[in-house]
Coordinates of all heavy atoms in Angstrom, one line a residue:
M83 N -67.5 -39.9 -72.2 CA -66.7 -40.5 -71.1 C -67.5 -41.6 -70.5 O -68.7 -41.4 -70.2 CB -66.3 -39.4 -70.1 CG -65.4 -40.0 -69.0 SD -64.8 -38.7 -67.9 CE -63.3 -38.2 -68.7
P84 N -67.0 -42.8 -70.2 CA -67.8 -43.9 -69.6 C -68.2 -43.5 -68.2 O -67.5 -42.7 -67.5 CB -66.8 -45.0 -69.6 CG -65.6 -44.7 -70.3 CD -65.6 -43.2 -70.6
A85 N -69.3 -44.1 -67.8 CA -69.8 -43.8 -66.4 C -68.9 -44.2 -65.3 O -68.8 -43.6 -64.3 CB -71.2 -44.5 -66.3
A86 N -68.1 -45.3 -65.6 CA -67.2 -45.8 -64.5 C -66.1 -44.8 -64.3 O -65.6 -44.7 -63.2 CB -66.6 -47.1 -64.9
A87 N -65.7 -44.0 -65.3 CA -64.7 -43.0 -65.1 C -65.2 -41.8 -64.4 O -64.4 -41.1 -63.8 CB -64.1 -42.6 -66.5
L88 N -66.5 -41.6 -64.3 CA -67.0 -40.4 -63.7 C -67.2 -40.6 -62.2 O -67.3 -39.6 -61.4 CB -68.4 -40.0 -64.3 CG -68.3 -39.6 -65.7 CD1 -69.8 -39.4 -66.2 CD2 -67.5 -38.3 -65.9
T89 N -67.2 -41.8 -61.7 CA -67.4 -42.1 -60.3 C -66.1 -41.7 -59.5 O -65.0 -41.8 -60.0 CB -67.8 -43.5 -60.0 OG1 -66.7 -44.4 -60.5 CG2 -69.1 -43.9 -60.7
T90 N -66.3 -41.3 -58.3 CA -65.2 -41.0 -57.5 C -65.0 -42.0 -56.4 O -66.0 -42.7 -56.0 CB -65.4 -39.6 -56.8 OG1 -66.6 -39.6 -56.0 CG2 -65.5 -38.5 -57.8
K91 N -63.8 -42.2 -55.9 CA -63.6 -43.2 -54.9 C -64.0 -42.6 -53.5 O -63.7 -41.4 -53.3 CB -62.1 -43.6 -54.8 CG -61.7 -44.5 -56.0 CD -60.3 -44.9 -55.8 CE -59.9 -45.9 -56.9 NZ -58.5 -46.3 -56.7
R92 N -64.6 -43.3 -52.7 CA -65.0 -42.9 -51.4 C -64.0 -43.5 -50.4 O -63.8 -44.7 -50.4 CB -66.4 -43.3 -51.0 CG -67.4 -42.6 -51.8 CD -68.8 -43.0 -51.2 NE -69.8 -42.4 -52.1 CZ -71.1 -42.5 -51.9 NH1 -71.5 -43.3 -50.9 NH2 -72.0 -41.9 -52.6
V93 N -63.4 -42.6 -49.6 CA -62.5 -43.1 -48.6 C -63.2 -43.0 -47.3 O -63.6 -41.9 -46.9 CB -61.2 -42.2 -48.6 CG1 -60.3 -42.6 -47.5 CG2 -60.5 -42.2 -49.9
S94 N -63.4 -44.1 -46.6 CA -64.1 -44.1 -45.4 C -63.2 -43.7 -44.3 O -62.1 -44.1 -44.1 CB -64.7 -45.5 -45.1 OG -63.6 -46.4 -45.0
Q95 N -63.7 -42.7 -43.5 CA -63.0 -42.2 -42.3 C -63.5 -42.9 -41.1 O -64.7 -43.1 -40.9 CB -63.3 -40.7 -42.2 CG -62.8 -39.9 -43.4 CD -61.3 -39.7 -43.4 OE1 -60.7 -39.7 -42.3 NE2 -60.7 -39.5 -44.6
P96 N -62.6 -43.2 -40.2 CA -63.0 -43.8 -38.9 C -63.8 -42.8 -38.1 O -63.5 -41.6 -38.1 CB -61.8 -44.2 -38.2 CG -60.7 -43.4 -38.8 CD -61.1 -43.1 -40.2
V97 N -64.8 -43.3 -37.4 CA -65.7 -42.4 -36.6 C -65.1 -42.3 -35.2 O -64.9 -43.4 -34.6 CB -67.1 -42.9 -36.6 CG1 -68.0 -42.0 -35.7 CG2 -67.7 -43.0 -38.0
L98 N -64.7 -41.1 -34.8 CA -64.2 -41.0 -33.4 C -65.3 -40.6 -32.5 O -66.1 -39.7 -32.8 CB -63.1 -39.9 -33.4 CG -61.9 -40.2 -34.3 CD1 -60.9 -39.0 -34.3 CD2 -61.2 -41.5 -33.8
I99 N -65.4 -41.3 -31.4 CA -66.4 -41.0 -30.4 C -65.8 -40.3 -29.2 O -64.9 -40.9 -28.5 CB -67.1 -42.3 -29.9 CG1 -67.8 -42.9 -31.2 CG2 -68.2 -42.0 -28.9 CD1 -68.4 -44.3 -30.9
D100 N -66.1 -39.1 -28.9 CA -65.5 -38.3 -27.8 C -66.4 -38.4 -26.6 O -65.8 -38.3 -25.5 CB -65.4 -36.9 -28.2 CG -64.4 -36.7 -29.3 OD1 -63.5 -37.5 -29.5 OD2 -64.5 -35.7 -30.0
L101 N -67.6 -38.7 -26.7 CA -68.5 -38.7 -25.5 C -68.6 -40.1 -24.9 O -68.5 -41.1 -25.6 CB -69.9 -38.3 -26.0 CG -70.0 -36.9 -26.6 CD1 -71.5 -36.6 -27.1 CD2 -69.6 -35.8 -25.6
P102 N -68.7 -40.2 -23.6 CA -68.8 -41.5 -23.0 C -70.1 -42.2 -23.3 O -71.1 -41.5 -23.8 CB -68.7 -41.2 -21.5 CG -69.2 -39.8 -21.4 CD -68.8 -39.1 -22.6
Y103 N -70.2 -43.4 -23.1 CA -71.4 -44.2 -23.4 C -72.5 -43.8 -22.6 O -72.4 -43.6 -21.4 CB -71.0 -45.7 -23.1 CG -72.2 -46.6 -23.1 CD1 -72.9 -47.0 -24.3 CD2 -72.8 -47.0 -21.9 CE1 -74.0 -47.8 -24.2 CE2 -73.9 -47.9 -21.8 CZ -74.5 -48.2 -23.0 OH -75.6 -49.0 -23.0
T104 N -73.7 -43.6 -23.2 CA -74.9 -43.3 -22.5 C -75.9 -44.3 -22.8 O -76.2 -44.5 -24.0 CB -75.4 -41.9 -22.8 OG1 -75.6 -41.8 -24.2 CG2 -74.5 -40.8 -22.4
P105 N -76.5 -44.9 -21.9 CA -77.5 -46.0 -22.2 C -78.8 -45.5 -22.7 O -79.2 -44.3 -22.5 CB -77.7 -46.7 -20.8 CG -77.4 -45.6 -19.8 CD -76.3 -44.8 -20.4
L106 N -79.5 -46.3 -23.5 CA -80.8 -46.0 -24.0 C -81.8 -46.0 -22.9 O -81.6 -46.5 -21.8 CB -81.2 -47.0 -25.1 CG -80.3 -47.1 -26.3 CD1 -80.7 -48.3 -27.2 CD2 -80.3 -45.8 -27.1
A107 N -83.0 -45.4 -23.2 CA -84.1 -45.4 -22.2 C -84.5 -46.8 -21.9 O -84.6 -47.6 -22.8 CB -85.2 -44.5 -22.7
K108 N -84.8 -47.1 -20.6 CA -85.2 -48.4 -20.3 C -86.7 -48.7 -20.6 O -87.5 -47.8 -20.5 CB -85.0 -48.6 -18.8 CG -83.6 -48.6 -18.3 CD -83.4 -48.9 -16.9 CE -82.0 -48.9 -16.5 NZ -81.8 -49.2 -15.1
K109 N -86.9 -49.9 -21.0 CA -88.3 -50.3 -21.4 C -88.8 -51.2 -20.3 O -88.0 -51.9 -19.6 CB -88.3 -51.0 -22.7 CG -87.9 -50.2 -23.9 CD -87.9 -51.0 -25.1 CE -87.4 -50.2 -26.3 NZ -87.4 -51.0 -27.5
V110 N -90.1 -51.3 -20.1 CA -90.7 -52.1 -19.1 C -90.6 -53.6 -19.6 O -90.9 -53.9 -20.8 CB -92.2 -51.8 -18.9 CG1 -92.9 -52.7 -18.0 CG2 -92.3 -50.3 -18.5
L111 N -90.2 -54.5 -18.7 CA -90.0 -55.9 -19.1 C -91.4 -56.6 -19.1 O -92.3 -56.1 -18.4 CB -89.1 -56.6 -18.1 CG -87.6 -56.1 -18.1 CD1 -86.9 -56.8 -17.0 CD2 -87.0 -56.4 -19.5
P112 N -91.6 -57.6 -19.9 CA -92.9 -58.3 -19.9 C -93.2 -59.0 -18.6 O -92.3 -59.5 -17.9 CB -92.7 -59.3 -21.0 CG -91.2 -59.5 -21.1 CD -90.6 -58.2 -20.8
A113 N -94.4 -58.9 -18.2 CA -94.9 -59.5 -17.0 C -95.2 -61.0 -17.1 O -95.4 -61.5 -18.2 CB -96.1 -58.8 -16.5
G114 N -95.2 -61.7 -16.0 CA -95.6 -63.1 -16.0 C -94.4 -64.1 -16.1 O -94.7 -65.3 -16.2
R115 N -93.2 -63.6 -16.2 CA -92.1 -64.6 -16.3 C -91.6 -64.9 -14.9 O -91.8 -64.2 -13.9 CB -90.9 -63.9 -17.0 CG -91.3 -63.4 -18.4 CD -90.9 -64.3 -19.5 NE -91.4 -63.7 -20.7 CZ -90.7 -63.8 -21.8 NH1 -89.5 -64.5 -21.9 NH2 -91.2 -63.3 -23.0
P116 N -90.9 -66.0 -14.7 CA -90.3 -66.4 -13.4 C -89.2 -65.4 -13.0 O -88.6 -64.8 -13.9 CB -89.7 -67.8 -13.6 CG -90.1 -68.2 -15.0 CD -90.7 -67.1 -15.7
R117 N -89.0 -65.2 -11.7 CA -88.1 -64.2 -11.3 C -86.7 -64.5 -11.8 O -85.9 -63.6 -12.2 CB -88.0 -64.3 -9.7 CG -87.0 -63.4 -9.1 CD -87.1 -63.3 -7.6 NE -85.9 -62.7 -7.0 CZ -85.5 -61.4 -7.1 NH1 -86.2 -60.6 -7.9 NH2 -84.4 -61.0 -6.5
E118 N -86.3 -65.8 -12.0 CA -85.0 -66.1 -12.5 C -84.7 -65.6 -13.9 O -83.6 -65.2 -14.3 CB -84.8 -67.6 -12.5 CG -83.4 -68.1 -12.7 CD -82.4 -67.6 -11.7 OE1 -82.8 -67.4 -10.5 OE2 -81.2 -67.5 -12.0
W119 N -85.8 -65.5 -14.7 CA -85.7 -64.9 -16.0 C -85.3 -63.5 -16.0 O -84.4 -63.0 -16.8 CB -87.0 -65.1 -16.8 CG -86.9 -64.6 -18.2 CD1 -86.6 -65.4 -19.3 CD2 -87.1 -63.3 -18.7 NE1 -86.6 -64.6 -20.4 CE2 -86.9 -63.3 -20.1 CE3 -87.5 -62.1 -18.1 CZ2 -87.1 -62.2 -20.9 CZ3 -87.6 -61.0 -18.9 CH2 -87.4 -61.0 -20.3
Y120 N -85.9 -62.7 -15.1 CA -85.5 -61.3 -15.0 C -84.1 -61.1 -14.5 O -83.4 -60.2 -14.9 CB -86.5 -60.6 -14.0 CG -87.9 -60.6 -14.5 CD1 -88.9 -61.5 -14.0 CD2 -88.4 -59.8 -15.6 CE1 -90.2 -61.5 -14.4 CE2 -89.7 -59.9 -16.1 CZ -90.6 -60.7 -15.5 OH -91.8 -60.7 -16.0
V121 N -83.7 -61.9 -13.5 CA -82.3 -61.8 -13.0 C -81.3 -62.1 -14.1 O -80.4 -61.4 -14.3 CB -82.2 -62.8 -11.8 CG1 -80.7 -62.9 -11.4 CG2 -83.0 -62.4 -10.6
N122 N -81.6 -63.2 -14.9 CA -80.7 -63.5 -16.0 C -80.7 -62.4 -17.1 O -79.6 -62.1 -17.6 CB -81.0 -64.9 -16.6 CG -80.6 -66.0 -15.7 OD1 -79.7 -65.9 -14.9 ND2 -81.3 -67.1 -15.8
H123 N -81.8 -61.9 -17.3 CA -81.9 -60.9 -18.4 C -81.1 -59.6 -18.0 O -80.3 -59.1 -18.8 CB -83.4 -60.5 -18.6 CG -83.6 -59.4 -19.5 ND1 -83.5 -59.6 -20.9 CD2 -83.9 -58.1 -19.4 CE1 -83.7 -58.4 -21.5 NE2 -84.0 -57.5 -20.6
N124 N -81.3 -59.2 -16.7 CA -80.6 -58.0 -16.3 C -79.1 -58.3 -16.2 O -78.3 -57.4 -16.5 CB -81.1 -57.5 -14.9 CG -82.5 -56.9 -15.1 OD1 -82.8 -56.4 -16.1 ND2 -83.3 -57.1 -14.0
R125 N -78.7 -59.5 -15.8 CA -77.3 -59.9 -15.8 C -76.7 -59.8 -17.2 O -75.5 -59.4 -17.3 CB -77.1 -61.2 -15.1 CG -75.7 -61.7 -15.0 CD -75.6 -62.9 -14.1 NE -75.7 -62.6 -12.7 CZ -76.3 -63.3 -11.8 NH1 -76.8 -64.5 -12.2 NH2 -76.4 -63.0 -10.6
R126 N -77.4 -60.3 -18.2 CA -76.9 -60.3 -19.5 C -76.7 -58.9 -20.0 O -75.7 -58.6 -20.7 CB -77.8 -61.1 -20.5 CG -77.7 -62.6 -20.4 CD -78.4 -63.3 -21.5 NE -79.8 -63.0 -21.5 CZ -80.8 -63.7 -20.9 NH1 -80.5 -64.8 -20.3 NH2 -82.0 -63.4 -21.0
L127 N -77.7 -58.0 -19.7 CA -77.6 -56.6 -20.1 C -76.3 -55.9 -19.5 O -75.6 -55.2 -20.1 CB -78.8 -55.8 -19.8 CG -80.1 -56.2 -20.5 CD1 -81.3 -55.4 -20.0 CD2 -79.9 -55.9 -22.0
K128 N -76.1 -56.2 -18.2 CA -75.0 -55.6 -17.5 C -73.7 -56.1 -18.1 O -72.7 -55.4 -18.3 CB -75.1 -56.0 -16.0 CG -74.0 -55.4 -15.2 CD -74.0 -55.9 -13.7 CE -74.2 -54.8 -12.8 NZ -74.2 -55.2 -11.4
A129 N -73.6 -57.4 -18.4 CA -72.4 -58.0 -18.9 C -72.1 -57.4 -20.3 O -71.0 -57.1 -20.7 CB -72.6 -59.5 -19.1
M130 N -73.2 -57.2 -21.1 CA -73.0 -56.6 -22.4 C -72.5 -55.1 -22.3 O -71.6 -54.7 -23.0 CB -74.3 -56.6 -23.2 CG -74.2 -56.6 -24.6 SD -75.7 -56.8 -25.6 CE -77.0 -57.1 -24.5
R131 N -73.1 -54.3 -21.4 CA -72.6 -53.0 -21.2 C -71.1 -53.0 -20.8 O -70.3 -52.1 -21.2 CB -73.4 -52.3 -20.2 CG -74.8 -51.9 -20.7 CD -75.5 -50.9 -19.7 NE -75.7 -51.4 -18.4 CZ -76.7 -52.1 -17.9 NH1 -77.7 -52.3 -18.8 NH2 -76.8 -52.4 -16.7
L132 N -70.7 -53.9 -19.9 CA -69.4 -53.9 -19.4 C -68.4 -54.4 -20.5 O -67.3 -53.8 -20.6 CB -69.3 -54.8 -18.2 CG -69.8 -54.2 -16.9 CD1 -69.9 -55.3 -15.8 CD2 -69.0 -53.0 -16.4
A133 N -68.8 -55.3 -21.3 CA -68.0 -55.8 -22.4 C -67.7 -54.7 -23.4 O -66.6 -54.5 -23.9 CB -68.6 -57.0 -23.1
I134 N -68.8 -53.9 -23.7 CA -68.6 -52.8 -24.6 C -67.7 -51.7 -24.1 O -66.8 -51.2 -24.8 CB -70.0 -52.2 -25.0 CG1 -70.8 -53.2 -25.8 CG2 -69.9 -50.8 -25.7 CD1 -72.3 -52.8 -25.9
A135 N -67.8 -51.4 -22.8 CA -66.9 -50.4 -22.1 C -65.5 -50.9 -22.1 O -64.6 -50.1 -22.4 CB -67.4 -50.2 -20.7
L136 N -65.3 -52.2 -21.9 CA -63.9 -52.7 -21.9 C -63.3 -52.7 -23.3 O -62.1 -52.3 -23.5 CB -63.9 -54.2 -21.3 CG -64.0 -54.3 -19.8 CD1 -64.3 -55.7 -19.5 CD2 -62.8 -53.8 -19.1
L137 N -64.1 -53.1 -24.3 CA -63.6 -53.0 -25.7 C -63.3 -51.6 -26.1 O -62.3 -51.3 -26.7 CB -64.6 -53.6 -26.6 CG -64.8 -55.1 -26.5 CD1 -66.0 -55.6 -27.3 CD2 -63.6 -55.9 -27.0
D138 N -64.1 -50.6 -25.7 CA -63.8 -49.2 -26.0 C -62.6 -48.7 -25.3 O -61.9 -47.8 -25.8 CB -65.0 -48.4 -25.6 CG -66.2 -48.5 -26.5 OD1 -66.0 -49.0 -27.6 OD2 -67.3 -48.1 -26.1
S139 N -62.2 -49.3 -24.1 CA -61.1 -48.8 -23.4 C -59.8 -49.5 -23.9 O -58.7 -49.2 -23.4 CB -61.3 -49.1 -21.9 OG -61.2 -50.4 -21.6
G140 N -59.9 -50.5 -24.8 CA -58.7 -51.1 -25.3 C -58.4 -52.5 -24.8 O -57.4 -53.1 -25.1
V141 N -59.3 -53.1 -24.0 CA -59.2 -54.5 -23.6 C -59.9 -55.4 -24.6 O -61.1 -55.4 -24.6 CB -59.8 -54.7 -22.2 CG1 -59.7 -56.1 -21.7 CG2 -59.1 -53.8 -21.2
F142 N -59.1 -56.0 -25.4 CA -59.7 -56.8 -26.5 C -59.7 -58.3 -26.3 O -60.4 -59.0 -27.0 CB -58.9 -56.5 -27.8 CG -59.0 -55.0 -28.3 CD1 -57.9 -54.2 -28.2 CD2 -60.2 -54.5 -28.6 CE1 -58.0 -52.9 -28.6 CE2 -60.3 -53.2 -29.0 CZ -59.2 -52.4 -29.0
L143 N -58.9 -58.8 -25.4 CA -58.8 -60.2 -25.2 C -59.5 -60.6 -23.8 O -59.4 -59.8 -22.9 CB -57.4 -60.7 -25.2 CG -56.6 -60.5 -26.5 CD1 -55.1 -60.9 -26.3 CD2 -57.2 -61.3 -27.6
S144 N -60.2 -61.7 -23.8 CA -60.9 -62.1 -22.6 C -59.9 -62.4 -21.4 O -60.3 -62.2 -20.3 CB -61.8 -63.3 -22.8 OG -61.0 -64.4 -23.3
N145 N -58.7 -62.8 -21.7 CA -57.8 -63.1 -20.6 C -57.2 -61.9 -20.0 O -56.6 -61.9 -18.9 CB -56.7 -64.1 -21.0 CG -55.9 -63.5 -22.2 OD1 -56.1 -62.5 -22.7 ND2 -54.9 -64.3 -22.6
Q146 N -57.4 -60.7 -20.7 CA -57.0 -59.4 -20.1 C -58.0 -58.9 -19.1 O -57.7 -58.0 -18.3 CB -56.7 -58.4 -21.2 CG -55.6 -58.7 -22.1 CD -55.5 -57.7 -23.2 OE1 -56.6 -57.1 -23.7 NE2 -54.3 -57.4 -23.7
A147 N -59.2 -59.4 -19.2 CA -60.3 -58.9 -18.4 C -60.4 -59.7 -17.1 O -61.2 -60.6 -17.0 CB -61.6 -58.9 -19.2
T148 N -59.7 -59.3 -16.1 CA -59.8 -60.0 -14.8 C -61.0 -59.4 -14.1 O -61.5 -58.4 -14.5 CB -58.5 -59.7 -14.0 OG1 -58.3 -58.3 -13.8 CG2 -57.2 -60.2 -14.7
N149 N -61.3 -60.1 -13.0 CA -62.5 -59.6 -12.2 C -62.2 -58.2 -11.7 O -63.1 -57.4 -11.7 CB -62.7 -60.6 -11.0 CG -63.4 -61.8 -11.5 OD1 -63.7 -62.0 -12.6 ND2 -63.6 -62.7 -10.5
S150 N -61.0 -57.9 -11.3 CA -60.7 -56.6 -10.7 C -60.8 -55.5 -11.8 O -61.3 -54.4 -11.6 CB -59.3 -56.6 -10.1 OG -58.3 -56.9 -11.0
R151 N -60.3 -55.8 -13.0 CA -60.4 -54.9 -14.1 C -61.9 -54.6 -14.5 O -62.3 -53.5 -14.8 CB -59.6 -55.4 -15.3 CG -59.6 -54.4 -16.5 CD -58.7 -54.8 -17.6 NE -57.5 -54.0 -17.4 CZ -56.4 -54.2 -18.2 NH1 -56.4 -55.1 -19.1 NH2 -55.4 -53.4 -18.1
I152 N -62.7 -55.7 -14.5 CA -64.1 -55.5 -14.9 C -64.8 -54.7 -13.8 O -65.6 -53.8 -14.1 CB -64.8 -56.9 -15.0 CG1 -64.2 -57.6 -16.3 CG2 -66.3 -56.8 -15.2 CD1 -64.6 -59.1 -16.4
R153 N -64.5 -55.0 -12.6 CA -65.1 -54.2 -11.5 C -64.7 -52.7 -11.5 O -65.5 -51.9 -11.2 CB -64.8 -54.9 -10.1 CG -65.6 -56.2 -10.0 CD -65.5 -56.8 -8.6 NE -66.4 -58.0 -8.6 CZ -65.9 -59.2 -8.5 NH1 -64.6 -59.4 -8.3 NH2 -66.7 -60.2 -8.4
S154 N -63.4 -52.5 -11.8 CA -63.0 -51.1 -11.8 C -63.6 -50.4 -13.0 O -63.9 -49.2 -12.9 CB -61.5 -51.0 -11.9 OG -61.0 -51.5 -13.1
M155 N -63.8 -51.1 -14.1 CA -64.5 -50.5 -15.3 C -66.0 -50.2 -14.9 O -66.5 -49.1 -15.3 CB -64.4 -51.4 -16.5 CG -65.1 -50.8 -17.7 SD -64.6 -49.2 -18.3 CE -62.9 -49.6 -18.8
A156 N -66.6 -51.1 -14.2 CA -68.0 -50.8 -13.7 C -68.1 -49.6 -12.9 O -69.0 -48.8 -13.0 CB -68.5 -52.1 -13.0
E157 N -67.1 -49.4 -12.0 CA -67.1 -48.2 -11.2 C -66.9 -46.9 -12.0 O -67.5 -45.9 -11.8 CB -66.0 -48.3 -10.1 CG -65.9 -47.2 -9.1 CD -64.8 -47.4 -8.1 OE1 -64.5 -48.5 -7.8 OE2 -64.3 -46.3 -7.6
E158 N -66.0 -47.0 -13.0 CA -65.7 -45.9 -13.9 C -66.9 -45.5 -14.7 O -67.2 -44.3 -14.9 CB -64.6 -46.3 -14.8 CG -64.0 -45.2 -15.6 CD -62.8 -45.6 -16.4 OE1 -62.0 -46.4 -15.9 OE2 -62.7 -45.2 -17.6
V159 N -67.7 -46.5 -15.2 CA -68.8 -46.3 -16.0 C -70.1 -45.9 -15.2 O -71.0 -45.2 -15.7 CB -69.1 -47.5 -16.9 CG1 -70.4 -47.3 -17.7 CG2 -68.0 -47.8 -17.8
G160 N -70.1 -46.3 -13.9 CA -71.2 -45.9 -13.1 C -72.2 -47.1 -13.0 O -73.4 -46.8 -12.8
I161 N -71.7 -48.3 -13.0 CA -72.6 -49.5 -12.9 C -72.2 -50.1 -11.5 O -71.1 -50.1 -11.1 CB -72.3 -50.5 -14.0 CG1 -72.6 -49.8 -15.4 CG2 -73.1 -51.7 -13.9 CD1 -72.2 -50.7 -16.6
H162 N -73.2 -50.7 -10.9 CA -72.9 -51.4 -9.6 C -71.9 -52.5 -9.9 O -71.9 -53.1 -10.9 CB -74.2 -52.1 -9.1 CG -75.2 -51.1 -8.5 ND1 -75.0 -50.5 -7.3 CD2 -76.3 -50.5 -9.0 CE1 -75.9 -49.6 -7.0 NE2 -76.8 -49.6 -8.1
P163 N -71.1 -52.8 -8.9 CA -70.0 -53.9 -9.1 C -70.6 -55.2 -9.4 O -71.6 -55.6 -8.8 CB -69.3 -53.9 -7.7 CG -69.7 -52.7 -7.0 CD -71.0 -52.2 -7.6
P164 N -70.1 -55.9 -10.5 CA -70.7 -57.1 -10.9 C -70.3 -58.3 -10.0 O -69.2 -58.3 -9.4 CB -70.2 -57.3 -12.3 CG -68.9 -56.5 -12.3 CD -69.1 -55.4 -11.4
S165 N -71.1 -59.3 -10.0 CA -70.7 -60.5 -9.3 C -69.7 -61.3 -10.1 O -69.4 -61.0 -11.3 CB -72.0 -61.4 -9.1 OG -72.5 -61.8 -10.3
D166 N -69.2 -62.4 -9.5 CA -68.3 -63.3 -10.2 C -69.0 -63.9 -11.5 O -68.3 -64.1 -12.5 CB -67.8 -64.4 -9.3 CG -66.9 -63.9 -8.2 OD1 -66.3 -62.8 -8.4 OD2 -66.7 -64.6 -7.2
I167 N -70.3 -64.2 -11.4 CA -71.0 -64.8 -12.5 C -71.0 -63.8 -13.7 O -70.8 -64.2 -14.8 CB -72.4 -65.3 -12.1 CG1 -72.3 -66.4 -11.1 CG2 -73.2 -65.7 -13.3 CD1 -73.6 -66.7 -10.4
T168 N -71.3 -62.6 -13.3 CA -71.4 -61.5 -14.4 C -70.0 -61.3 -15.0 O -69.9 -61.1 -16.2 CB -72.0 -60.2 -13.8 OG1 -73.2 -60.5 -13.1 CG2 -72.2 -59.2 -14.9
C169 N -69.0 -61.3 -14.2 CA -67.6 -61.2 -14.7 C -67.3 -62.3 -15.7 O -66.7 -62.1 -16.8 CB -66.6 -61.2 -13.6 SG -66.6 -59.7 -12.6
H170 N -67.7 -63.5 -15.4 CA -67.6 -64.7 -16.3 C -68.3 -64.5 -17.6 O -67.8 -64.8 -18.7 CB -68.0 -65.9 -15.5 CG -67.9 -67.2 -16.4 ND1 -66.7 -67.8 -16.6 CD2 -68.8 -67.9 -17.1 CE1 -66.8 -68.8 -17.4 NE2 -68.1 -68.9 -17.7
M171 N -69.5 -63.9 -17.5 CA -70.3 -63.6 -18.7 C -69.6 -62.6 -19.6 O -69.7 -62.7 -20.8 CB -71.7 -63.2 -18.3 CG -72.6 -64.3 -17.7 SD -74.2 -63.7 -17.2 CE -75.0 -63.8 -18.8
V172 N -69.0 -61.6 -18.9 CA -68.3 -60.5 -19.7 C -67.2 -61.2 -20.5 O -67.0 -60.9 -21.7 CB -67.8 -59.4 -18.8 CG1 -66.8 -58.5 -19.5 CG2 -68.9 -58.6 -18.1
R173 N -66.4 -62.0 -19.9 CA -65.3 -62.7 -20.6 C -65.8 -63.6 -21.7 O -65.3 -63.7 -22.7 CB -64.5 -63.5 -19.6 CG -63.6 -62.6 -18.8 CD -62.6 -63.4 -18.0 NE -63.2 -64.1 -16.9 CZ -63.5 -63.6 -15.7 NH1 -63.2 -62.4 -15.4 NH2 -64.1 -64.4 -14.8
A174 N -67.0 -64.2 -21.4 CA -67.5 -65.1 -22.5 C -68.0 -64.3 -23.7 O -67.8 -64.7 -24.8 CB -68.7 -65.9 -21.9
L175 N -68.6 -63.1 -23.4 CA -69.0 -62.3 -24.5 C -67.8 -61.8 -25.3 O -67.9 -61.7 -26.6 CB -69.8 -61.1 -24.0 CG -71.3 -61.3 -23.6 CD1 -71.8 -60.1 -22.9 CD2 -72.1 -61.6 -24.8
M176 N -66.8 -61.4 -24.6 CA -65.6 -61.0 -25.3 C -64.9 -62.1 -26.1 O -64.4 -61.9 -27.2 CB -64.6 -60.4 -24.4 CG -65.1 -59.1 -23.7 SD -63.9 -58.5 -22.5 CE -62.6 -57.9 -23.5
R177 N -65.0 -63.3 -25.6 CA -64.4 -64.5 -26.3 C -65.1 -64.9 -27.5 O -64.6 -65.2 -28.6 CB -64.3 -65.6 -25.3 CG -63.6 -66.8 -25.8 CD -63.5 -67.9 -24.7 NE -63.1 -67.4 -23.4 CZ -63.8 -67.5 -22.3 NH1 -65.0 -68.0 -22.3 NH2 -63.4 -67.0 -21.1
Y178 N -66.5 -64.9 -27.4 CA -67.3 -65.5 -28.5 C -67.7 -64.4 -29.5 O -68.4 -64.7 -30.5 CB -68.5 -66.2 -28.0 CG -68.1 -67.4 -27.2 CD1 -68.5 -67.5 -25.8 CD2 -67.3 -68.4 -27.7 CE1 -68.1 -68.6 -25.1 CE2 -67.0 -69.5 -27.0 CZ -67.3 -69.6 -25.7 OH -67.0 -70.7 -24.9
S179 N -67.3 -63.1 -29.3 CA -67.8 -62.1 -30.3 C -66.9 -62.1 -31.5 O -67.1 -61.4 -32.5 CB -67.7 -60.8 -29.6 OG -66.4 -60.4 -29.3
R180 N -65.8 -62.9 -31.5 CA -64.9 -62.9 -32.7 C -65.3 -63.8 -33.7 O -65.7 -64.7 -34.0 CB -63.5 -63.3 -32.2 CG -63.0 -62.2 -31.3 CD -61.6 -62.6 -30.8 NE -61.1 -61.5 -30.1 CZ -60.0 -60.7 -30.5 NH1 -59.4 -61.1 -31.5 NH2 -59.6 -59.7 -29.8

């Protein structure tokens, strides 16, 4: 019997995640950078966490993610309420990830 006939088809099953998102352990940021770099870095991390939480909850389009929806998701996940700039970054991440 040929080897191709012996192989079986693999059916990929979707992975269901029942547990809520838990962040990884925080690492120490490098020293010697200007304060603005640290502010932007932390803002980008927060925007990324919020974008992931919104996508997991079923908000797939950036125009569905209003400031109030992003802030309510932040409260639900346990993140401090984001500023208007961070909300804009969340929408930008959702828009350009496609």
Side-chain angles (χ1 to χ4, degrees):
M83 186 176 267
L88 296 175
T89 61
T90 60
K91 289 186 177 180
R92 291 186 183 179
V93 178
S94 62
Q95 298 283 334
V97 178
L98 299 177
I99 300 174
D100 293 335
L101 301 175
Y103 166 75
T104 56
L106 299 173
K108 293 185 178 180
K109 297 179 183 177
V110 178
L111 293 176
R115 308 258 177 145
R117 176 172 165 69
E118 191 63 29
W119 184 90
Y120 298 105
V121 171
N122 287 332
H123 176 76
N124 289 331
R125 182 172 280 146
R126 283 191 301 266
L127 290 178
K128 182 187 242 183
M130 206 171 358
R131 286 193 302 268
L132 286 170
I134 291 168
L136 284 166
L137 290 169
D138 286 344
S139 71
V141 178
F142 297 113
L143 299 175
S144 60
N145 60 358
Q146 294 175 329
T148 60
N149 284 0
S150 60
R151 182 174 259 177
I152 293 171
R153 289 188 175 113
S154 66
M155 180 56 66
E157 183 179 333
E158 187 177 321
V159 175
I161 301 173
H162 287 284
S165 65
D166 290 340
I167 296 170
T168 307
C169 290
H170 180 75
M171 289 177 85
V172 169
R173 284 188 291 275
L175 281 171
M176 293 175 73
R177 187 177 310 119
Y178 296 119
S179 66
R180 293 181 172 245

